[in-house]
């Protein structure tokens, strides 16, 4: 990709997905197929740090990469595990979704990355 500079982007966020929870905004409907650059604009890379483990702490909530041709066929499944870091490019090549959580609560941190200094999150965490 020829990257020279990489900045943390906004939004980066903590997610808590409870079984049976109701969506209050479109971004809460995590089970729909989406592409991060369409949804958030400045994302070049997306990273997810899982804070608990699928199959132990909750059921469902697996991360699904979808086939780029039709956007609905599952091409790969990532089962979250506490401490696992998932990093992927945020563009059209990686449509994805999360399966609905059916039992318990799934915790993760999403940190996005951009090459655009104007879109960077320049906050410092001391």
């Amino acid at each position: 990709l020829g990257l020279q500079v990489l900045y943390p982007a906004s939004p980066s966020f903590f997610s808590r997905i409870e079984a049976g929870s109701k969506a209050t905004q479109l971004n809460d409907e995590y089970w729909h197929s989406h592409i991060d650059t369409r949804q958030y604009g400045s994302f070049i890379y997306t990273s997810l740090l899982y804070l608990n483990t699928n199959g132990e702490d909750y059921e469902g909530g697996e991360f699904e990469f979808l086939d780029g041709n039709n956007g609905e066929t599952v091409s790969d499944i990532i089962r979250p595990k506490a401490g696992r870091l998932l990093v992927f490019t945020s563009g059209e090549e990686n449509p994805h979704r999360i399966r609905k959580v059916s039992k318990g609560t799934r915790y993760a941190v999403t940190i996005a990355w951009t090459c655009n200094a104007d879109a960077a999150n320049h906050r410092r965490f001391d």
Side-chain angles (χ1 to χ4, degrees):
L1 292 174
L3 291 176
Q4 300 297 315
V5 183
L6 198 59
Y7 303 98
S10 290
S12 290
F13 51 89
F14 171 82
S15 64
R16 176 177 184 246
I17 302 173
E18 291 183 51
S21 62
K22 303 284 188 228
T24 58
Q25 58 181 335
L26 181 61
N27 289 346
D28 290 342
E29 294 184 1
Y30 57 88
W31 56 89
H32 293 294
S33 171
H34 67 277
I35 294 168
D36 289 345
T37 53
R38 283 190 199 163
Q39 193 161 348
Y40 298 109
S42 65
F43 286 26
I44 299 297
Y45 291 101
T46 303
S47 59
L48 295 163
L49 176 62
Y50 295 108
L51 303 178
N52 60 350
T53 300
N54 169 269
E56 292 178 16
D57 303 307
Y58 62 94
E59 299 295 329
E62 295 90 346
F63 185 99
E64 297 180 332
F65 283 109
L66 304 170
D67 184 295
N69 294 322
N70 66 19
E72 292 302 320
T73 303
V74 175
S75 61
D76 203 2
I77 298 172
I78 308 299
R79 288 183 168 65
K81 182 177 179 180
R84 177 171 285 159
L85 179 66
L86 173 63
V87 181
F88 56 94
T89 54
S90 306
E92 304 286 328
E93 66 282 0
N94 282 318
H96 58 277
R97 66 181 174 215
I98 300 169
R99 289 182 181 171
K100 287 187 178 184
V101 173
S102 58
K103 180 180 177 184
T105 304
R106 177 188 186 269
Y107 296 99
V109 176
T110 299
I111 303 169
W113 305 94
T114 186
C115 298
N116 181 345
D118 294 330
N121 178 350
H122 292 288
R123 291 181 295 168
R124 300 286 184 232
F125 300 96
D126 298 322

